[in-house]
Amino acid sequence: MTTTGHERTEDDLSRAPQELAVEVEDLTVAYQERPVLWDVDLQVPAGVLMAIVGPNGAGKSTLIKAMLGLVTPVAGRVRIFGRPYADQRLLVGYVPQRNSVDWDFPTTVLDLVVMGRYGALGWFRRPGGAERKKAREALERVGMGEFVNRQIRQLSGGQQQRIFLARALVQEAQVYLMDEPFQGVDATTERTIVSLLKELRASGKTVVVVHHDLQTVSEYFDWVTLLNVRRIASGPVRKTFTEQNLRLTYGGRVAFLTHHTHRENAGPSFEVGAQDSAG
């Protein structure tokens, strides 16, 4: 397959010596003495679009939070481009789950997106015209330009997710960590998000997404990590997103229907019990 511009095949990614955007070593996280992540090692090459998948309780969101220093591990470390997150925080953009925000808080769409610039501004500088310009541009990119003055409590779930993405965009990060950005959104918003993620990858950014829909992994992503408290497997989708690794991750709860072995980027087709399809 011939590639142009910033596009790369999975074989290109797996063969070329690569800088690591995120490196996790021997990471263990426990809540009330119960391990949520156990001895996880993970290397995320720069410039990939990676899904983290696994059953409920697998530790997917916890892994993202550990990368951001939002939870304290029992053991292990996380590095962003070779250095601790505290030294590299301006290089990282974060899209949390929508339920982490009080959507009744009286603020506008524009003001919420401008908040994404606070880290770069520091404690003593107030956002001005330049920050609002960046916020408006980001809102246009996610199809929310006409909602700048709308109160956030008036938004639908899909619209809320789009402004979360816009807030991350204005951070102008090198690494984007996203926790379930597709959860509960409409088809139009999902297409917008997918397009944006692929634009970020094409511009050399690294995007890590907690994802619940196994059916779309092969279509949306080029890299995948399968997690169930421990890291089961991680690598290019075509080589890693296999029936064997999915069974190791989900146990007997994955019922395979077909397996396309010759179509490029086509992974296994299967059904997962509803209780295991998210989280």
Side-chain angles (χ1 to χ4, degrees):
M1 178 179 175
T2 301
T3 60
T4 60
H6 292 283
E7 294 177 0
R8 293 168 294 176
T9 66
E10 288 180 359
D11 287 340
D12 292 334
L13 288 166
S14 59
R15 283 198 302 262
Q18 291 176 281
E19 181 180 24
L20 294 178
V22 183
E23 186 173 14
V24 178
E25 296 180 356
D26 304 325
L27 186 71
T28 296
V29 177
Y31 295 146
Q32 297 180 343
E33 301 184 356
R34 181 177 67 86
V36 180
L37 294 171
W38 183 261
D39 199 24
V40 171
D41 291 311
L42 178 64
Q43 295 182 334
V44 184
V48 302
L49 175 50
M50 186 182 86
I52 302 174
V53 300
N56 279 345
K60 303 184 295 297
S61 294
T62 300
L63 178 57
I64 292 282
K65 291 175 181 177
M67 291 177 182
L68 292 159
L70 298 176
V71 297
T72 302
V74 174
R77 68 177 187 175
V78 176
R79 294 191 172 268
I80 308 294
F81 289 110
R83 301 177 64 183
Y85 170 76
D87 297 339
Q88 305 282 55
R89 63 184 182 84
L90 294 182
L91 299 182
V92 181
Y94 176 42
V95 179
Q97 292 188 20
R98 289 205 320 274
N99 60 13
S100 66
V101 167
D102 178 6
W103 292 101
D104 290 325
F105 186 79
T107 191
T108 66
V109 166
L110 183 63
D111 287 340
L112 182 64
V113 175
V114 167
M115 290 177 189
R117 295 298 301 162
Y118 285 2
L121 288 171
W123 288 104
F124 302 109
R125 291 178 56 197
R126 294 176 60 85
E131 285 70 39
R132 284 182 164 73
K133 182 174 183 291
K134 288 180 185 293
R136 289 177 183 274
E137 290 171 348
L139 285 164
E140 289 289 346
R141 287 182 68 182
V142 300
M144 291 289 290
E146 63 187 83
F147 291 85
V148 289
N149 296 316
R150 187 74 59 89
Q151 290 288 316
I152 62 172
R153 65 176 176 271
Q154 298 174 315
L155 301 177
S156 68
Q159 291 168 341
Q160 291 170 355
Q161 192 62 62
R162 291 191 198 198
I163 65 170
F164 258 8
L165 289 168
R167 189 178 67 171
L169 287 176
V170 300
Q171 294 178 254
E172 299 178 335
Q174 294 299 311
V175 178
Y176 288 90
L177 306 178
M178 304 187 182
D179 196 352
E180 297 272 18
F182 298 105
Q183 188 172 33
V185 303
D186 56 88
T188 300
T189 297
E190 182 157 340
R191 288 193 296 269
T192 299
I193 294 172
V194 171
S195 177
L196 178 61
L197 298 186
K198 291 184 177 181
E199 285 179 20
L200 290 171
R201 178 186 59 189
S203 64
K205 311 300 186 184
T206 306
V207 186
V208 177
V209 177
V210 173
H211 191 56
H212 70 277
D213 183 3
L214 300 182
Q215 299 282 7
T216 58
V217 168
S218 296
E219 179 183 356
Y220 292 174
F221 301 94
D222 54 37
W223 209 264
V224 65
T225 291
L226 294 101
L227 185 73
N228 192 348
V229 182
R230 297 176 180 270
R231 189 209 69 177
I232 306 301
S234 185
V237 167
R238 190 168 56 177
K239 297 179 179 179
T240 309
F241 194 61
T242 63
E243 177 175 349
Q244 178 181 3
N245 284 336
L246 283 159
R247 288 194 183 281
L248 288 172
T249 305
Y250 289 89
R253 292 167 292 197
V254 178
F256 285 84
L257 305 177
T258 60
H259 198 141
H260 305 289
T261 57
H262 300 295
R263 290 171 51 202
E264 186 176 0
N265 295 330
S269 178
F270 43 82
E271 292 180 340
V272 182
Q275 71 273 21
D276 300 309
S277 61

